[in-house]
Amino acid sequence: MFKSEIRKQALKERLSYRDDEYQKLNKMLLEQFQALDFSDIKTIHIFLPIVEKKEPNTFLLIEWLAENHAQIKIIVPKADFETALMTNHEYLGVNDLQKNLYNILEPQKGSIHDGEVDMVLIPLLAFDKMGYRVGYGKGFYDRFLENINAQKIGLSLSPAIDSIDDVNEHDIKLDFCITPTETIKF
């Protein structure tokens, strides 16, 4: 199946989750996340969820990290839609967030983080058994990940699909993908 078709199908499936199903899947995703090894992690890039699109609720992960690994610096993205590039900003809490024109929460006062990043949590609509992902199609994360030597971890509320037929040389492969029922290493 091609990315455009996968996108439509995955988004339709995600939007069909009842609220109680969505909450349960997020709780299970958090349990899988908690099993990761954070011993060498100093900085984590975490995307902020578009709740209306029922993306994984990363606020649960952020809260858990703050309570259990307070030494880990959390950074969040801010997107420039003219250049299709992202910058990392220090996460200062929900009060520092504001929705942009595309309904994506972004930091307002968090300082830019130019240092190392040890782990990147990546949004996706679907992923395949080889570790490739389908996002919204703008290429933000593929460009962002090109020059970062960090663990690349996708978060998905759905299991892997068999394959993505139109993977190209710009697509960055995940190292892991966390689903509500398993953590898959590629």
Side-chain angles (χ1 to χ4, degrees):
M1 208 177 336
F2 290 102
K3 291 176 190 174
S4 58
E5 190 177 331
I6 294 168
R7 254 182 220 107
K8 287 178 199 162
Q9 191 174 331
L11 192 54
K12 183 179 178 183
E13 177 188 323
R14 231 174 33 195
L15 292 174
S16 74
Y17 293 142
R18 294 185 326 267
D19 285 345
D20 61 326
E21 284 179 297
Y22 176 64
Q23 302 302 333
K24 182 180 179 184
L25 290 170
N26 278 295
K27 186 177 180 194
M28 292 168 66
L29 193 74
L30 172 62
E31 290 169 7
Q32 290 291 325
F33 179 74
Q34 292 168 340
L36 294 178
D37 179 7
F38 295 99
S39 57
D40 294 328
I41 305 298
K42 294 177 184 69
T43 304
I44 299 179
H45 167 104
I46 302 178
F47 71 92
L48 298 171
I50 304 172
V51 181
E52 298 82 7
K53 292 187 178 179
K54 294 199 175 162
E55 289 186 341
N57 184 355
T58 55
F59 286 114
L60 297 175
L61 311 182
I62 291 169
E63 289 166 14
W64 181 82
L65 283 168
E67 290 172 14
N68 296 279
H69 295 280
Q71 76 284 3
I72 295 177
K73 183 177 188 175
I74 296 170
I75 54 177
V76 294
K78 192 169 192 171
D80 180 335
F81 282 86
E82 288 182 22
T83 63
L85 297 174
M86 291 189 310
T87 51
N88 284 315
H89 295 260
E90 185 177 356
Y91 179 72
L92 299 178
V94 293
N95 293 334
D96 182 48
L97 304 176
Q98 191 174 327
K99 287 187 178 181
N100 67 16
L101 294 173
Y102 299 92
N103 232 15
I104 301 168
L105 287 169
E106 291 187 327
Q108 300 305 300
K109 296 178 185 163
S111 60
I112 289 183
H113 175 82
D114 286 328
E116 293 293 314
V117 178
D118 302 304
M119 181 184 287
V120 179
L121 299 184
I122 305 164
L124 52 87
L125 285 164
F127 71 102
D128 71 9
K129 294 178 178 178
M130 298 298 296
Y132 290 103
R133 61 182 270 283
V134 175
Y136 291 104
K138 302 286 187 226
F140 277 98
Y141 271 89
D142 290 318
R143 276 187 286 287
F144 176 70
L145 295 168
E146 278 177 337
N147 303 310
I148 290 182
N149 184 22
Q151 288 183 43
K152 299 164 193 69
I153 302 176
L155 296 180
S156 179
L157 298 177
S158 302
I161 60 174
D162 287 330
S163 66
I164 300 165
D165 294 334
D166 54 343
V167 168
N168 65 58
E169 71 275 4
H170 301 294
D171 292 333
I172 304 285
K173 194 172 174 178
L174 300 170
D175 296 315
F176 297 90
C177 193
I178 301 173
T179 74
T181 58
E182 63 184 336
T183 298
I184 304 161
K185 183 178 183 355
F186 300 106

